[in-house]
C-alpha cells in the first residue's frame, strides 16, 4: 500500500474519516456524508467499502464491533493526525485565497 | 422462443466501459447477462429495460469459491443501499445493474478504483502471463536446439517451421499484456493521485481477432501438411475441449456441493493433470489402433517375408532409379518421403533391394533439398556441409566429413565426397544453385552413371 496515497486526503476520504470521529456503522456513512455536505459530496457504495477496508489495513480506522455483516468503526490516533493535517492544509489554502483576494480587492 | 442467448464477446477482462455499454445495449433489447466467458457470453431473456450496469472487481474473490464470501456479501449490502443489484460474477469480476439511471456510481474514488483493478490484474494477468512467457521461452529454446541440430529437417517440416511464428505471436501478445499492465498501473496511479481521474482500460479487439486468425491459420498450415497431422490436430483439439469442459464440470460440481476454495483448486488442478495424461493415452491408442501414419504419404503395395519377419514393399515414384543407371535386374522397394514448407522442400528417396535378393543387387538412396527462401541458401549449404564433423577421441580422430572433388563431372557448382572412418565412400554432396543433393550408391559409379544421375537430379 503506497504511503503517498494519504499525503493528501481526497474529499471522500476526508469525509469518511470525519464521520468516524465517533463510532459509526460503515453502511451509515453513505447517508451521513450526503447529509453533512447537503448532497455536494457523494461516495459510491463500492468505494466506501474499499476505502474502509483500506483504512483498516493501514490502521487509520479500527473496527469496534460486528453484528453479522454490519460493522462499526472509529478513527484511530493515526487517522486523526491525518485528518488534522488535511484540515490544516485546507485552512492554509483558504488563508492564501483570502490574502490574495483581499489584496486584489484593495488595489 | 429462445430463453437464453449466447453471443460472441471478446472483451479485455478489464475493459469496464466497453462491457458496460454492451450489457446496457443487450438489456434494452430484452437480454440480461447471465454468464460471462472468454469468447461467448450467455444472456437470459427479460423485459426490455433501460438499465445501468457497473463492472467492478473484487480482488479477494475466486472462481473456485462455493459462494460469495462474507466480505463479498458485505460489499453487496453496501451496493444495495444505492440500488445496485448483482447481475452475475465471473472470478474477480462483479457485474451490477441499477434501474435508477441517476444512481450514484459504485466507484467514485479513482485512487481506490486503481488499487482494486491493479490488485485484480496482479492476481490474474501478471502471474498467468509471466508463466506463459516462461513456458514459451523454454519451448523456443528447445525448438532452437532442434533447429541447430538439423536446420533442413526443421525448416522443411510444416509441423515445426509454422510453429515458430505462432509462438512468436503468443510471446508478443503476452509481452504486450505484461507491458500494458505495467504501463497502465503507473499511468493510472499517477492520474488518480494527481488529477483525481480514473484511466479506463480499453481493449484492442481488432488486434486480438487478427492474432487469433493468424494463429489459427498457422496451426492449420502446421497440421494440414499431411492427412495424418490434420487428423492428429483435430483429435488433439477435441481432447483439449473435452478436458476443459470436464474440468469446468468438476469445478462447478464442487462449487455446488459447497466445497472450500482450496479443496476445489487442488481437485481441479489434479483433474487437469489426470485428464491430460488420460487424453494422451487415448490419443496414442487411437493412432496405434487405427494405423494412422503421422509422417503421411507412404502406402505399401505389398509385403514379403524374410527371416520370419514381414517387410513392406513400396512402389513410390522415384526420379532416378537403379534401372536408369545399370542393366542389373532385381526386385526393389522404392520409397519416397517428402516434406515441404515455404522455406524448404526436402525429399528422401530410397531404392532398396528386397532382403531376399542376392547381395549383388545394388541399392540407391538420395535426398533432394530445394531452397525456396533464397536468402537462406548460404546458411543451409553451410549447415549441410557441417552436418558431418570429425570426432576426436583423445589421440584418435574418427573421420566423418565431406571433401571437395571436381564439380565438373557432376556439372554442379560444387561437389563433395564423404570421407568416413578413413575411407572414401560412394556418397556425394552436390550443389546446384538452390538445390542440394546428397546421393549414396551401393557401388562405385562410373563417369557415365554420374553424368546420368547428375542430369536427372539437377532437373527433376
Amino acid at each position: 500500500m503506497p504511503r503517498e496515497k494519504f499525503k493528501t486526503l481526497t474529499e471522500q476520504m476526508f469525509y469518511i474519516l470525519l464521520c468516524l470521529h465517533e463510532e459509526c456503522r460503515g453502511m451509515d456513512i453513505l447517508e451521513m456524508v450526503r447529509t453533512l455536505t447537503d448532497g455536494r459530496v457523494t461516495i459510491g457504495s463500492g468505494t466506501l467499502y474499499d476505502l474502509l477496508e483500506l483504512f483498516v489495513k493501514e490502521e487509520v480506522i479500527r473496527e469496534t464491533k460486528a453484528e453479522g455483516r454490519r460493522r462499526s468503526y472509529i478513527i484511530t490516533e493515526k487517522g486523526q493526525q491525518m485528518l488534522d493535517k488535511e484540515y490544516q492544509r485546507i485552512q492554509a489554502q483558504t488563508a492564501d485565497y483570502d490574502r490574495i483576494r483581499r489584496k486584489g480587492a484593495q488595489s | 422462443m429462445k430463453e437464453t442467448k449466447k453471443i460472441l464477446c471478446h472483451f479485455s477482462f478489464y475493459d469496464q466501459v466497453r462491457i458496460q455499454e454492451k450489457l446496457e445495449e443487450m438489456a434494452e433489447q430484452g437480454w440480461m447477462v447471465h454468464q460471462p466467458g472468454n469468447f461467448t457470453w450467455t444472456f437470459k431473456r427479460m423485459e426490455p429495460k433501460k438499465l445501468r450496469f457497473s463492472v467492478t472487481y473484487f480482488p479477494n474473490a475466486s472462481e473456485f469459491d462455493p459462494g460469495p464470501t462474507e466480505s463479498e456479501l458485505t460489499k453487496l449490502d453496501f451496493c444495495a443501499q444505492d440500488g445496485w443489484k448483482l447481475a452475475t460474477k465471473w472470478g474477480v469480476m462483479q457485474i451490477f445493474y441499477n434501474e435508477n439511471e441517476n444512481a450514484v456510481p459504485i466507484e467514485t474514488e479513482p485512487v481506490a478504483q486503481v488499487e482494486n483493478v491493479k490488485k485484480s490484474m496482479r492476481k490474474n494477468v501478471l502471474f498467468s502471463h509471466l508463466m506463459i512467457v516462461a513456458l514459451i521461452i523454454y519451448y523456443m529454446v528447445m525448438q532452437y536446439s532442434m533447429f541447430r541440430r538439423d536446420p533442413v529437417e526443421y525448416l522443411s517440416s510444416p509441423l515445426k517451421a509454422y510453429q515458430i511464428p505462432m509462438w512468436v505471436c503468443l510471446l508478443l501478445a503476452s509481452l504486450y499484456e505484461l507491458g500494458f499492465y505495467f504501463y497502465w498501473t503507473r499511468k493510472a496511479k499517477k492520474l488518480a493521485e494527481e488529477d483525481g481521474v480514473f484511466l479506463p482500460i480499453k481493449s484492442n479487439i481488432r488486434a486480438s481477432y487478427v492474432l487469433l486468425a493468424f494463429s489459427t491459420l498457422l496451426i492449420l498450415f502446421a497440421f494440414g501438411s499431411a492427412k495424418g497431422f490434420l487428423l492428429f490436430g483435430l483429435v488433439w483439439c477435441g481432447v483439449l475441449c473435452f478436458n476443459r469442459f470436464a474440468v469446468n464440470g468438476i469445478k462447478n460440481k464442487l462449487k455446488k456441493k459447497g466445497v472450500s476454495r482450496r479443496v476445489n483448486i487442488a481437485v481441479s488442478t489434479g483433474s487437469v493433470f489426470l485428464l491430460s495424461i488420460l487424453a494422451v493415452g487415448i490419443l496414442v491408442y487411437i493412432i496405434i489402433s487405427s494405423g494412422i501414419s503421422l509422417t503421411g504419404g507412404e502406402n505399401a503395395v505389398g509385403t514379403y517375408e524374410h527371416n520370419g519377419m514381414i517387410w513392406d514393399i513400396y512402389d513410390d515414384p522415384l526420379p532416378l532409379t537403379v534401372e536408369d543407371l545399370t542393366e542389373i535386374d532385381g526386385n526393389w522397394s522404392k520409397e519416397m518421403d517428402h516434406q515441404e514448407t515455404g522455406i524448404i522442400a526436402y525429399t528422401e528417396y530410397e531404392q532398396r533391394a528386397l532382403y531376399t535378393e542376392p547381395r549383388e543387387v545394388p541399392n540407391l538412396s538420395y535426398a533432394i533439398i530445394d531452397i525456396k527462401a533464397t536468402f537462406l541458401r548460404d546458411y543451409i549449404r553451410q549447415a549441410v556441409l557441417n552436418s558431418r564433423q570429425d570426432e576426436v577421441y583423445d589421440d584418435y580422430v574418427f573421420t566423418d566429413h565431406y571433401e571437395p572433388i571436381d564439380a565438373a563431372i557432376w556439372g554442379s557448382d560444387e561437389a563433395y565426397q564423404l570421407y568416413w572412418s578413413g575411407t572414401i565412400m560412394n556418397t556425394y554432396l552436390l550443389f546446384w544453385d538452390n538445390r542440394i543433393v546428397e546421393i549414396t550408391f551401393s557401388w562405385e559409379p562410373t563417369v557415365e552413371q554420374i553424368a546420368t544421375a547428375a542430369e536427372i537430379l539437377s532437373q527433376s
Side-chain angles (χ1 to χ4, degrees):
Chain A
M1 172 71 205
R3 292 275 160 189
E4 61 266 31
K5 197 172 293 165
F6 292 146
K7 265 186 184 169
T8 55
L9 296 175
T10 63
E11 207 172 22
Q12 297 178 64
M13 290 175 182
F14 180 86
Y15 278 107
I16 292 172
L17 290 182
L18 189 61
C19 288
L20 290 174
H21 74 282
E22 57 185 34
E23 189 185 62
C24 170
R25 275 204 319 210
M27 273 200 274
D28 295 339
I29 296 172
L30 284 183
E31 209 40 55
M32 282 174 77
V33 173
R34 262 171 229 170
T35 313
L36 190 67
T37 63
D38 238 353
R40 185 180 61 79
V41 177
T42 46
I43 302 174
S45 43
T47 291
L48 174 63
Y49 173 84
D50 291 336
L51 286 177
L52 287 175
E53 291 278 299
L54 212 62
F55 286 157
V56 170
K57 199 175 152 201
E58 290 300 307
E59 295 170 352
V60 173
I61 60 170
R62 68 180 166 81
E63 199 180 299
T64 50
K65 67 176 175 215
E67 295 157 337
R69 294 199 296 269
R70 288 159 189 262
R71 290 172 190 184
S72 301
Y73 305 89
I74 194 161
I75 195 165
T76 61
E77 188 56 39
K78 183 181 167 187
Q80 191 57 56
Q81 281 171 13
M82 279 168 55
L83 200 58
D84 290 346
K85 204 173 144 196
E86 184 60 17
Y87 171 69
Q88 282 154 15
R89 192 187 66 81
I90 296 169
Q91 268 198 324
Q93 227 173 327
T94 315
D96 290 342
Y97 176 87
D98 284 345
R99 200 174 56 246
I100 300 292
R101 291 291 294 164
R102 224 177 290 136
K103 236 189 225 175
Q106 281 168 4
S107 59
Chain B
M1 196 186 275
K2 272 173 74 178
E3 287 305 306
T4 58
K5 185 180 194 174
K6 267 183 192 287
I7 62 163
L8 201 66
C9 292
H10 191 51
F11 303 116
S12 158
F13 192 78
Y14 298 94
D15 193 344
Q16 294 163 294
V17 177
R18 224 184 281 262
I19 296 173
Q20 284 161 197
E21 280 170 3
K22 182 72 190 172
L23 300 185
E24 281 164 15
E25 181 194 315
M26 290 299 286
E28 274 194 71
Q29 291 169 17
W31 294 100
M32 170 59 91
V33 61
H34 176 63
Q35 184 57 57
N38 284 321
F39 292 102
T40 56
W41 285 44
T42 313
F43 291 81
K44 285 211 163 166
R45 186 178 289 284
M46 63 160 191
E47 279 290 301
K49 266 183 203 166
K50 215 167 166 52
L51 294 177
R52 212 169 133 200
F53 281 84
S54 179
V55 175
T56 65
Y57 302 94
F58 196 80
N60 294 329
S62 163
E63 57 178 315
F64 294 94
D65 284 334
T69 58
E70 272 297 295
S71 44
E72 257 182 298
L73 288 171
T74 308
K75 185 181 172 184
L76 298 188
D77 288 345
F78 273 62
C79 295
Q81 267 195 303
D82 279 337
W84 289 101
K85 292 172 196 157
L86 186 72
T88 185
K89 51 177 280 188
W90 182 31
V92 295
M93 182 194 282
Q94 296 174 318
I95 300 175
F96 292 89
Y97 70 95
N98 200 320
E99 301 200 7
N100 176 6
E101 276 186 63
N102 302 313
V104 177
I106 290 182
E107 289 176 316
T108 50
E109 168 60 66
V111 174
Q113 205 175 345
V114 169
E115 188 68 18
N116 237 352
V117 176
K118 198 177 125 188
K119 268 197 223 160
S120 310
M121 282 178 97
R122 192 162 51 209
K123 198 171 158 191
N124 287 288
V125 180
L126 202 59
F127 179 71
S128 59
H129 282 284
L130 279 175
M131 286 295 287
I132 290 172
V133 168
L135 275 172
I136 293 175
I137 290 174
Y138 170 75
Y139 186 81
M140 286 179 88
V141 169
M142 301 277 288
Q143 294 292 308
Y144 181 68
S145 81
M146 279 165 73
F147 167 76
R148 289 276 302 186
R149 252 198 317 274
D150 191 347
V152 171
E153 205 285 322
Y154 193 94
L155 293 174
S156 61
S157 162
L159 198 61
K160 291 170 187 160
Y162 289 133
Q163 278 191 44
I164 306 169
M166 191 182 82
W167 289 112
V168 170
C169 277
L170 284 175
L171 181 67
L172 289 177
S174 288
L175 288 176
Y176 171 79
E177 288 282 343
L178 282 174
F180 181 79
Y181 165 78
F182 289 113
Y183 166 80
W184 182 85
T185 46
R186 201 171 55 87
K187 196 167 177 190
K189 199 175 145 211
K190 198 166 173 244
L191 267 177
E193 284 169 5
E194 290 174 9
D195 302 340
V197 175
F198 178 73
L199 177 71
I201 298 174
K202 287 203 173 115
S203 55
N204 194 342
I205 298 176
R206 211 171 288 169
S208 305
Y209 279 124
V210 168
L211 188 73
L212 192 70
F214 189 58
S215 302
T216 312
L217 209 65
L218 289 168
I219 290 171
L220 283 177
F221 263 127
F223 284 103
S225 56
K227 231 181 182 174
F229 281 140
L230 189 59
L231 193 64
F232 175 81
L234 289 174
V235 172
W236 187 239
C237 282
V239 167
L240 284 180
C241 288
F242 167 75
N243 205 333
R244 190 184 158 85
F245 278 118
V247 172
N248 255 343
I250 291 168
K251 181 186 77 187
N252 291 334
K253 195 99 186 159
L254 292 175
K255 275 166 79 171
K256 270 187 193 159
K257 287 202 165 185
V259 171
S260 73
R261 181 195 296 190
R262 279 188 182 181
V263 174
N264 197 333
I265 289 175
V267 174
S268 299
T269 313
S271 309
V272 172
F273 282 109
L274 281 176
L275 285 170
S276 302
I277 293 166
L278 189 72
V280 172
I282 292 171
L283 208 58
V284 171
Y285 174 77
I286 291 171
I287 290 166
I288 293 172
S289 61
S290 62
I292 297 167
S293 165
L294 288 183
T295 47
E298 324 92 335
N299 283 315
V301 291
T303 55
Y304 69 100
E305 197 187 333
H306 178 65
N307 283 349
M309 287 179 76
I310 303 292
W311 300 88
D312 286 334
I313 302 173
Y314 297 92
D315 192 22
D316 294 338
L318 307 188
L320 175 71
T321 60
V322 172
E323 297 93 311
D324 293 328
L325 303 172
T326 69
E327 298 291 322
I328 299 171
D329 208 14
N331 289 306
W332 290 275
S333 175
K334 297 173 182 172
E335 208 175 333
M336 178 190 85
D337 189 11
H338 177 78
Q339 58 183 32
E340 182 172 356
T341 63
I343 309 163
I344 288 178
Y346 177 64
T347 319
E348 281 181 343
Y349 301 93
E350 186 175 28
Q351 183 173 2
R352 176 174 289 282
L354 304 189
Y355 295 125
T356 49
E357 292 291 296
R359 288 176 72 92
E360 299 77 51
V361 178
N363 295 321
L364 179 69
S365 64
Y366 51 96
I368 300 178
I369 301 162
D370 282 318
I371 304 164
K372 297 184 194 174
T374 49
F375 66 92
L376 283 174
R377 186 170 55 197
D378 292 340
Y379 175 77
I380 300 292
R381 281 179 165 218
Q382 208 51 50
V384 173
L385 263 176
N386 292 341
S387 64
R388 290 188 177 270
Q389 298 273 344
D390 289 347
E391 285 176 38
V392 182
Y393 303 98
D394 298 327
D395 53 348
Y396 170 71
V397 177
F398 181 85
T399 48
D400 183 12
H401 65 261
Y402 285 108
E403 291 211 343
I405 56 169
D406 181 14
I409 56 164
W410 282 94
S412 58
D413 304 335
E414 287 171 61
Y416 298 84
Q417 194 164 4
L418 181 64
Y419 188 56
W420 188 81
S421 187
T423 315
I424 288 284
M425 310 296 289
N426 291 316
T427 297
Y428 299 87
L429 182 64
L430 314 153
F431 296 100
W432 282 283
D433 199 18
N434 292 324
R435 172 167 284 194
I436 302 171
V437 173
E438 189 192 48
I439 183 165
T440 300
F441 301 88
S442 68
W443 74 99
E444 191 173 338
T446 62
V447 174
E448 290 76 24
Q449 285 172 333
I450 284 176
T452 308
E455 193 187 339
I456 294 172
L457 294 179
S458 63
Q459 289 162 14
S460 62

